[in-house]
Amino acid sequence: MSDHDFDFESQPGLPKPLPEGETLLWQGSPDSAALAREAFKANWVLGYLLAIAVWRASIAFADGGFALSVAVFLPYLALALVGYGIVRLLARASAKAAIYSITTHRVILRIGAALQVTWTVPFTQVASASLSTRPMTGTGTVALDLVPGQNISYLALWPHLRPGFAKKTQPAFRCIPDAARVARILSDAAQTRVNEPVVSFAPQSALAAE
């Protein structure tokens, strides 16, 4: 598992040209709206700010009636909408900067809106993968459980990780469209790679000695 900072991309999402014998099978990015809802909690942020606006307006109504209530509510409403808009913009920037890739040998996550970093995870370092989907939105998350001894910082990956696994971080293709199909591509590629026979050649002198 490795990261490459500031590497020139031979093509989007790939820090270097793929070696001979390695093929790109899939590339994709998060759905920005789904990422805003699930990772950035945009709806919760909006709901919280609106609750504050209603609470402040209700206090103003008790003190000065409807006119004062409206006068207090409108600025808080504007702040709530601005806050929601900022969260959506951050999610959009994060989604736009991220490119997930599956090759015949590994998984690659190019992430980071401000500072781009590329994480490479060979299939040999993946213990298992999990899929969670959102039928209502058509998006889902494919997460990778790494073998013991392999770990990536939570802060270095967020939000491109499986939620609820802070102790042992699981890199993830977060909020991607058609996640079930992507999971099948990943599963088939990993199975093929892991089961690929390894042929070793003895030195010619050793063969001659036999």
Side-chain angles (χ1 to χ4, degrees), residues 69-141:
S69 176
V70 171
V72 170
F73 177 74
L74 290 179
Y76 277 96
L77 175 62
L79 288 174
L81 295 177
V82 169
Y84 177 74
I86 291 173
V87 172
R88 288 295 301 264
L89 285 174
L90 290 173
R92 180 178 176 82
S94 181
K96 188 176 181 180
I99 299 179
Y100 306 141
S101 305
I102 301 174
T103 77
T104 50
H105 291 62
R106 52 187 163 155
V107 166
I108 303 171
L109 295 90
R110 201 286 303 276
I111 60 176
L115 177 62
Q116 290 188 348
V117 178
T118 302
W119 292 99
T120 298
V121 184
F123 290 137
T124 53
Q125 296 178 0
V126 178
S128 63
S130 62
L131 168 67
S132 61
T133 57
R134 301 274 185 175
M136 296 296 292
T137 64
T139 60
T141 293

Side-chain angles (χ1 to χ4, degrees), residues 4-5 12 30 43 51 53 60 94 106 116 126 136 139-140 163 166 171 174 180 182 186 188 197 205:
H4 308 276
D5 295 350
N43 292 348
S94 181
R106 52 187 163 155
Q116 290 188 348
V126 178
M136 296 296 292
T139 60
R174 192 83 184 267
V182 176
L186 173 63
D188 292 345
S205 57

Side-chain angles (χ1 to χ4, degrees), residues 21-90:
E22 184 175 3
T23 305
L24 180 65
L25 301 176
W26 174 87
Q27 273 192 331
S29 299
D31 178 86
S32 61
L35 192 67
R37 287 192 304 269
E38 296 183 26
F40 287 79
K41 306 299 181 185
N43 292 348
W44 285 97
V45 170
L46 179 61
Y48 175 75
L49 294 176
L50 288 177
I52 292 177
V54 171
W55 173 61
R56 296 296 298 178
S58 64
I59 294 176
F61 181 81
D63 292 339
F66 180 75
L68 181 59
S69 176
V70 171
V72 170
F73 177 74
L74 290 179
Y76 277 96
L77 175 62
L79 288 174
L81 295 177
V82 169
Y84 177 74
I86 291 173
V87 172
R88 288 295 301 264
L89 285 174
L90 290 173

